[in-house]
Amino acid sequence: MKFASFSHKGSIHIGVVDDAAGRVRPVSGVTGMVDLIARYDQIKSSLKSDGADIALSDVKLLAPIAAPARNIICVGKNYGEHAREFSNSGFEAGAVKGAEIDEYPAVFSKGPNTVVGPYDDVRLHAHITSSVDYEVELALVIGKGGRDISKADAYRHIFGYTIVNDVTARDRQKNHKQWFLGKTLDTFCPMGPWITTSDELDPENLDVKCWVNGELRQNANTSDLIFDIPSLVSTISAGMALVPGDIIATGTPAGVGIGFNPPKFLKSGDVVAMEISNIGRIENKFV
Ligand code: MG
């Protein structure tokens, strides 16, 4: 199933998407996406429609988990080629030549005000940064909460998957040494277009692509993750309870703006499109 959050005629709904038909069918009896995720095992066999289905072209898709979002936990340097391009770019504080691949995953978070919808504008914040960059990432959505989740149990805690653009102000990421300030500017987390449930895809074999103004910049497969999804869930949940709706973005592949010499930072009017197989596409204009 693909579950979307959307607005239609002034009200917000959760719906089941039929991507091929271009339709979405609202569901009733849930108060929002997190409520649906938290109770999914109990309600999935009896999910009822809340009226007739609607053309996707007649709705506004929202971030699948709307503000106030749950934890948005991100993993850095999780594809080898990207770890090397980042380390060599001059934008990684404390980079050490020959030690581009980390022994433990780099983990940080983005604040709740970063989240915007799959087709919303992203602000460049030109008064405080001149180096805004894109990062396409497969993001998993926690279904069943838990702490100290083992690798063997990890997939049982995942509700589904979505696309995240981990937008980054590279100068702030470098200057402040800790990544948070460069990652958490308002609108810096476009998300969507919906959540594809775990049973509908193989997260270890998904094509991940990103275009800037139609030019293909990132093109990889999640089989190349350095730290795989069970490792990430196990590492992040160690001593910290994950709850339904928490999001873990799994890292971006090579081809970001700082991978080029000179770097290709985003400018006003640029359109960044991202696709992951079996999920869909998001597209955001930078303003
Ligand atoms: Mg990232």
Side-chain angles (χ1 to χ4, degrees):
M1 306 266 261
K2 294 182 171 77
F3 288 105
S5 297
F6 65 95
S7 66
H8 179 66
K9 294 184 176 170
S11 54
I12 293 174
H13 306 268
I14 305 299
V16 178
V17 174
D18 182 340
D19 196 10
R23 312 287 295 181
V24 59
R25 180 171 54 83
V27 296
S28 61
V30 296
T31 59
M33 189 69 85
V34 172
D35 179 45
L36 181 144
I37 291 169
R39 296 191 295 124
Y40 188 60
D41 283 346
Q42 292 83 55
I43 65 176
K44 65 182 172 190
S45 58
S46 59
L47 274 180
K48 295 232 171 17
S49 175
D50 183 19
D53 64 352
I54 307 166
L56 279 171
S57 55
D58 287 340
V59 309
K60 176 178 164 55
L61 288 169
L62 308 172
I65 298 187
R70 296 288 192 174
N71 285 314
I72 304 164
I73 302 162
C74 303
V75 178
K77 300 173 65 182
N78 204 19
Y79 289 82
E81 209 183 320
H82 170 67
R84 284 183 281 276
E85 77 177 351
F86 180 45
S87 195
N88 294 331
S89 71
F91 283 89
E92 183 185 14
V96 177
K97 192 87 184 152
E100 292 86 0
I101 308 295
D102 292 324
E103 184 179 357
Y104 300 94
V107 180
F108 58 94
S109 66
K110 294 170 92 79
N113 291 334
T114 56
V115 177
V116 293
Y119 296 97
D120 289 344
D121 289 348
V122 176
R123 289 163 53 192
L124 283 166
H125 302 275
H127 61 301
I128 52 162
T129 175
S130 57
S131 55
V132 174
D133 206 350
Y134 51 87
E135 297 191 348
V136 59
E137 305 197 10
L138 173 69
L140 62 89
V141 182
I142 292 293
K144 185 175 147 222
R147 183 170 48 225
D148 301 320
I149 300 168
S150 69
K151 286 187 197 179
D153 282 341
Y155 281 121
R156 284 195 275 277
H157 289 263
I158 298 175
F159 173 76
Y161 298 85
T162 191
I163 304 170
V164 154
N165 184 350
D166 176 20
V167 183
T168 305
R170 297 295 182 195
D171 41 10
R172 293 169 66 83
Q173 182 183 31
K174 177 186 179 187
N175 294 343
H176 295 274
K177 303 205 167 49
Q178 216 279 351
W179 295 5
F180 183 66
L181 288 183
K183 297 283 193 175
T184 201
L185 302 182
D186 291 355
T187 73
F188 267 25
C189 190
M191 187 189 299
W194 38 66
I195 300 170
T196 300
T197 51
S198 314
D199 55 314
E200 287 207 351
L201 53 72
D202 172 6
E204 299 181 14
N205 181 22
L206 296 174
D207 292 328
V208 174
K209 296 181 183 182
C210 168
W211 295 260
V212 177
N213 301 328
E215 178 193 330
L216 183 63
R217 295 277 184 88
Q218 295 181 277
N219 185 7
N221 187 281
T222 54
S223 59
D224 289 331
L225 286 177
I226 297 170
F227 301 101
D228 64 12
I229 288 170
S231 300
L232 296 177
V233 171
S234 173
T235 299
I236 292 168
S237 70
M240 181 178 84
L242 295 173
V243 300
D246 277 349
I247 290 158
I248 298 176
T250 58
T252 201
V256 298
I258 50 164
F260 296 88
N261 188 8
K264 296 183 176 181
F265 294 123
L266 295 170
K267 49 193 192 312
S268 184
D270 283 350
V271 174
V272 178
M274 301 182 158
E275 285 183 12
I276 297 182
S277 40
N278 296 85
I279 302 178
R281 177 184 178 93
I282 68 174
E283 188 173 303
N284 302 88
K285 186 161 85 170
F286 284 69
V287 298

